[in-house]
Amino acid sequence: MTETRWSHLTAPELRALAARDAVVLLPVGSTEQHGAHLPTGVDDFLAAEVCRRAASAAAGRVPVVVAPSVWCGLAEHHMSFGGTMTLSLPTFHALLRDVCRSVLRAGFRRILLVNGHGGNVTALNALVGELTAELSAPIAVTSYFTVGRKAIREALETQQHLMHACEGETSMAMAAFPHLVREELLDRAAGPATELQSEDTRPVQRFVPFEDVTGSGTAGDARAASAAKGERMLRGCAEALAEQLAVIWEERR
Amino acid sequence: MTETRWSHLTAPELRALAARDAVVLLPVGSTEQHGAHLPTGVDDFLAAEVCRRAASAAAGRVPVVVAPSVWCGLAEHHMSFGGTMTLSLPTFHALLRDVCRSVLRAGFRRILLVNGHGGNVTALNALVGELTAELSAPIAVTSYFTVGRKAIREALETQQHLMHACEGETSMAMAAFPHLVREELLDRAAGPATELQSEDTRPVQRFVPFEDVTGSGTAGDARAASAAKGERMLRGCAEALAEQLAVIWEERR
Amino acid sequence: MTETRWSHLTAPELRALAARDAVVLLPVGSTEQHGAHLPTGVDDFLAAEVCRRAASAAAGRVPVVVAPSVWCGLAEHHMSFGGTMTLSLPTFHALLRDVCRSVLRAGFRRILLVNGHGGNVTALNALVGELTAELSAPIAVTSYFTVGRKAIREALETQQHLMHACEGETSMAMAAFPHLVREELLDRAAGPATELQSEDTRPVQRFVPFEDVTGSGTAGDARAASAAKGERMLRGCAEALAEQLAVIWEERR
Amino acid sequence: MTETRWSHLTAPELRALAARDAVVLLPVGSTEQHGAHLPTGVDDFLAAEVCRRAASAAAGRVPVVVAPSVWCGLAEHHMSFGGTMTLSLPTFHALLRDVCRSVLRAGFRRILLVNGHGGNVTALNALVGELTAELSAPIAVTSYFTVGRKAIREALETQQHLMHACEGETSMAMAAFPHLVREELLDRAAGPATELQSEDTRPVQRFVPFEDVTGSGTAGDARAASAAKGERMLRGCAEALAEQLAVIWEERR
Amino acid sequence: MTETRWSHLTAPELRALAARDAVVLLPVGSTEQHGAHLPTGVDDFLAAEVCRRAASAAAGRVPVVVAPSVWCGLAEHHMSFGGTMTLSLPTFHALLRDVCRSVLRAGFRRILLVNGHGGNVTALNALVGELTAELSAPIAVTSYFTVGRKAIREALETQQHLMHACEGETSMAMAAFPHLVREELLDRAAGPATELQSEDTRPVQRFVPFEDVTGSGTAGDARAASAAKGERMLRGCAEALAEQLAVIWEERR
Amino acid sequence: MTETRWSHLTAPELRALAARDAVVLLPVGSTEQHGAHLPTGVDDFLAAEVCRRAASAAAGRVPVVVAPSVWCGLAEHHMSFGGTMTLSLPTFHALLRDVCRSVLRAGFRRILLVNGHGGNVTALNALVGELTAELSAPIAVTSYFTVGRKAIREALETQQHLMHACEGETSMAMAAFPHLVREELLDRAAGPATELQSEDTRPVQRFVPFEDVTGSGTAGDARAASAAKGERMLRGCAEALAEQLAVIWEERR
């Protein structure tokens, strides 16, 4: 299997990939509380996992490099639970700008940020325009759960979309890093359902500390999780992302 | 009719309103190209218009003040058409922070940003969390076309939601400031339909110069516009916003 | 009468004005306490009013566009009165830079900031050099009460120059927006006289909270105000500004 | 004679002065072209000279410390002549803030910035309010040629106030650092007269490169300069500043 | 073996560790060219590897958490080789400040940055004072090759200290992630020797593009590398770091 | 003797020096407590003194200009002693950038920062790379006590390198500005020895308030100081710096 991770590749290999106009995926995650049964790195791990799978799935058709993941995002709403890291918006902006600028200076021309954290979605959508203007280069963004929303919906039983430390995230964790799931705590891992951010129909948006949503740090019902479901979701998300990579590749002509 | 505009009120009157815990609406618009038939101030004028109507509608139930409108937002995607102003995201952030801080220092405790420009939506949603943390005060945001989406949908014939310089915006302009509509240019005021931003189902987001969407600067079909439709939309949006004001007012107990 | 307001014009009309090398006036005001008898928007309204009148007066000779007004300036010294908005100097700088940059990107080459607030004067004079260097374009600044100081002096009876919520500002308010003047409170609208900022002869400058000057928020004697005086002042200021527009226009050759 | 220079004093001596509530003078100059006959440090040297003389004159009545001088200010308009240093406004702001904060942290409570460069005047007046708010401490500013304007006018023959590398500045240079005056070039050291900045009656302000004023870098006529005049001016400015120090000292009660 | 990685731990587990006053190690690396035989992630991987080993070694004596690694540092001097990421100093500063602030807000009180990249050393030493002042909390910094310099010197045959992609780094890579070493390219992996940064005796420091040092991207001689040496070095560095953890732990009494 | 001080030179003289490609020395000092026997300006005075001597020593071989000294650096660790000024790292960075940019705009191409304060060393080393990238010009840095370390070591009896207000600094102060040394306090001017920063072998770096090192503000033993030693040190440092100037001059070919 071809290596696609930037940090696992050598500089000459990366120069060769830049010369082939490879697409660079930049996973953007978060390090934040995910209830008592999941590790704090879930959003980061899943974004990177889907990127690596998509890069493999696209191999042969589209040259792809997966940059190291931005493991810290916007998680102020989880801070009261402990175990959580967060950046201010200006720092998040500066970090993404400098990383994207480095990627461009390394000779690549196509960057797709692949987000894994609901709390980053609006900021990333806002920053895409800003980064495009600042760097005079096309920067695109998606979330793995947006590109793969169909696969996610089909695999889930108790919910329609990802919530937080829920059936979906727990299933994918069981598939991708089962040793990090505290299965013995799963039977209490349930909380109220939340809306998918992009389907949020509340007319007024405001900052909501996650503790106001759920005291346990879990939204949705993780008790229904299984590694098999998780594998289906990850595969589906990766395939959907690989399709997008093919679209981006076609556009370059 | 009670005056609700901050800039039309005197300082003692505003102090009295702050003492009553009045809700402050901050219209956030944009000054940008709106095709050949609409003035560049449309987004700004409509956000402010809905705010004033909502404040009137809420009068007696909820004390409300309408701040002067932030008439410049994020409109990089319209710059190539000319006639357009835009702020960088850090400037937009700093401006909103300083204005909100002033409102809080004037003794008010409740601020609702009422947006009128699609291009501001994601940034405002991202900034709400940032401002709440920076100012240690609850800052909320909506768009008049989000709070009033039902009324808008019911009034429109050729589209489901607002586009740009479209049946909807043109109708409201005809109702609110008919003298600024170039009616003689209406018969050419049509362009391709665009998605409502919050219903955008494209899996990958990127910066799209509006000229790539429509050469005319118009998205949707303004030929179907009428002042009567516009009046229905404005009234519906204002009533929906007034309802939200009542909700905010109730929460204060 | 020709429309000169940027936000009332369409993008194609603005492109045509840019092609004719029109001068852009950017009113810069403040939203701040003006005693018990005047609305908080006075400085903003008067700066914009003089700009619009000057643009009309110059019509036929000089193409002019009046941008929307920057209604928030530097008013820290009025904050304790309530009803007041203020920006930090870096935010004020950033806002003016982004707006001026937008104007330049829209194809215009000549910008004149027309200030209406004493508290902005020194900052604007300092920023003109900074903006000129940053934008590589000539940015000029005046205050309507500086360009029109002769007309103001001639119209006033109890003072030589504008103070605050005084005979002068109240007269102009009576002429330009009489419905916003609380005439019933006029008989108490008097306070100590203040110096014209640019004629301030105190050898040492320091920050002076306006409450240390006057407990009422009024400096000077508004009881002598009349709409007729106000009309003379506005007309005189507008004519003086129109003359400057003609000078700027001549320089372009 | 008592030592008043901060950098010549020891920390224990400065702590004792802070305990006595000494006033701190911060000279703010510029390092910029001053024609062919004067060194580039003139504005810096003269501001510091007047401060030291004033501190001596006030000795016994008012405890005073003279901080090292900020030798770089805003001199963009002189850059084309070479030999000139300039700061951006944000850097100038940050530098003054950090220095003033240090003075306050060292236990002093009263700071007076004493400027020696016309190009700094408006920025310093604008920054005084900003610094006062940021540091929650009273920061005052003057220019030695403002506080001493009467003495300057009386001593000068060919001009009423300071210009640039003129009769006035050259005379003071001859009195304070005669070895740095290129006397052999004095007979050509003349240029057009300029206005005193604070008496500038031009209705519109804009950035004016000094080369547009004078090709020689000199404004005014230095040929009339003499050390005796310079001594009178320096003494007069120092006495006037000492009087202000006494006023500040009285206010502390 | 106890899990020590922040991102592998759950929020309740991290809260418990904070309650025990655990020391947080923050690996700071770089993603940059490392010749043709080593992956670009070397500095990042080795810093994190030493941290994890040290945390294990300290287990039982000192509770330790290893934060996710900051994989991007200051690598401007490697940019011309391709495959390299770099941050500006202000972005690096902001990122470290926000991450450290998050750690403190999560209840921890002791943070040790463990650097793995020579190009970060001076900046980190400068930032430690700044971060300590900004966050009012003790932030300490070391580099794994500083704390473990004795073990490194003893293991190496062709050099005294780490260079770049050299005998030392290559040996540790062979021990820690052998599958990422391109062994087939090792026989050409040699370049001129460089000084250890902290022993640099050049009297004048300047920015030196690494291409001026070595065209191959390698400094030192990697041909002498072996996994056994690498294991000795890693173990020695980890033990030395564990000793420092014990010192920090003792200080807390 | 040729004048080499920027602020003592005229603009035409500086233009001529720039045309000859003169090297610009920028002394960077600090204004901070130096025990009870030395003035707070020591680090600033000595850096400037060595620069001036080196410029004289190089005269005839290398054209050199000595800029005014940056008398405020990073001295947070001395703040508790009083009498101390400090900048934040961002302000220090901005100040150096603007000054260096001015020097470059004045036509010079070669800048060497000559530091005189131990607390600035790491920051300056970090900033050199940043400034080089920002200004696209080679900026170099040294400390007079680094370039002259051999001469310093040879002259000292009780220490190997400079400490703080020690035998070395006191000796140089006695040689360069004896009137500012409080000799009557010398017999108590002793404190514990400190490491030379660049030879610091502590594996972990952290911010250390200087009061934790020495209650007197003195590190090392100033009682052994003499003007003769100081003169030897200053001469040696200046000669070593002059040699570096010759090297820089040769490189320009």
Side-chain angles (χ1 to χ4, degrees), chain E residues 88-90 93 112 122-123 125-130 132 139-142 146-147 198 203-207 244 248 251, chain F residues 88-90 93 112 122-123 125-130 132-133 139-142 146-147 198 203-207 244 248 251:
Chain E
S88 72
L89 182 59
H93 182 177
L112 175 58
T122 54
N125 285 350
L127 287 171
V128 157
E130 203 74 8
T132 298
I139 311 289
V141 67
T142 190
T146 300
V147 79
S198 62
V204 172
Q205 300 288 323
R206 66 190 75 191
F207 175 79
Q244 291 301 319
I248 290 170
E251 286 169 356
Chain F
S88 72
L89 181 59
H93 182 178
L112 176 58
T122 53
N125 285 350
L127 287 172
V128 157
E130 204 73 9
T132 298
I139 310 289
V141 67
T142 190
T146 299
V147 79
S198 61
V204 171
Q205 299 288 323
R206 66 189 75 191
F207 175 79
Q244 292 301 319
I248 290 170
E251 286 169 355

Side-chain angles (χ1 to χ4, degrees), chain F:
Chain F
M1 196 183 100
T2 311
E3 178 58 74
T4 59
R5 276 176 274 193
W6 182 298
S7 58
H8 287 203
L9 292 162
T10 67
E13 290 161 359
L14 284 160
R15 285 202 303 273
L17 281 158
R20 291 180 58 203
D21 212 7
V23 181
V24 177
L25 299 179
L26 176 61
V28 181
S30 182
T31 297
E32 67 183 36
Q33 77 82 17
H34 268 78
H37 65 294
L38 288 183
T40 53
V42 165
D43 288 355
D44 182 46
F45 300 160
L46 292 178
E49 176 75 16
V50 172
C51 285
R52 285 190 298 267
R53 289 177 177 232
S56 293
R61 290 179 294 159
V62 187
V64 180
V65 179
V66 182
S69 66
V70 174
W71 49 263
C72 195
L74 305 179
E76 182 67 33
H77 50 311
H78 289 294
M79 289 300 278
S80 65
F81 286 91
T84 302
M85 307 270 202
T86 192
L87 302 181
S88 72
L89 181 59
T91 299
F92 192 49
H93 182 178
L95 176 59
L96 293 173
R97 178 176 48 218
D98 283 13
V99 170
C100 287
R101 182 181 286 134
S102 296
V103 171
L104 296 169
R105 289 179 65 191
F108 297 95
R109 300 189 303 158
R110 248 157 276 278
I111 303 177
L112 176 58
L113 282 64
V114 180
N115 175 49
H117 170 48
N120 291 340
V121 171
T122 53
L124 287 172
N125 285 350
L127 287 172
V128 157
E130 204 73 9
L131 294 172
T132 298
E134 288 172 348
L135 303 173
S136 300
I139 310 289
V141 67
T142 190
S143 297
Y144 80 81
F145 45 78
T146 299
V147 79
R149 72 163 63 189
K150 186 160 162 293
I152 288 173
R153 192 164 45 229
E154 288 171 2
L156 291 172
E157 289 177 295
T158 66
Q159 53 193 78
Q160 292 287 313
H161 53 257
L162 289 195
M163 292 172 182
H164 189 78
C166 59
E167 179 194 353
E169 288 192 339
T170 306
S171 294
M172 289 187 283
M174 285 170 159
F177 37 90
H179 57 295
L180 297 182
V181 180
R182 277 62 167 170
E183 301 222 9
E184 69 280 12
L185 300 175
L186 260 181
D187 55 356
R188 277 172 297 164
T194 53
E195 290 302 305
L196 179 62
Q197 189 162 37
S198 61
E199 287 173 349
D200 193 336
T201 54
R202 282 175 305 173
V204 171
Q205 299 288 323
R206 66 189 75 191
F207 175 79
V208 180
F210 206 66
E211 64 192 345
D212 291 359
V213 176
T214 163
S216 69
T218 300
D221 192 342
R223 292 172 301 186
S226 76
K229 286 180 192 172
E231 181 60 29
R232 277 204 300 281
M233 293 163 75
L234 287 170
R235 193 175 303 150
C237 290
E239 283 165 7
L241 182 53
E243 276 174 44
Q244 292 301 319
L245 288 169
V247 171
I248 290 170
W249 184 249
E250 288 307 309
E251 286 169 355
R252 67 187 275 281
R253 304 238 173 114

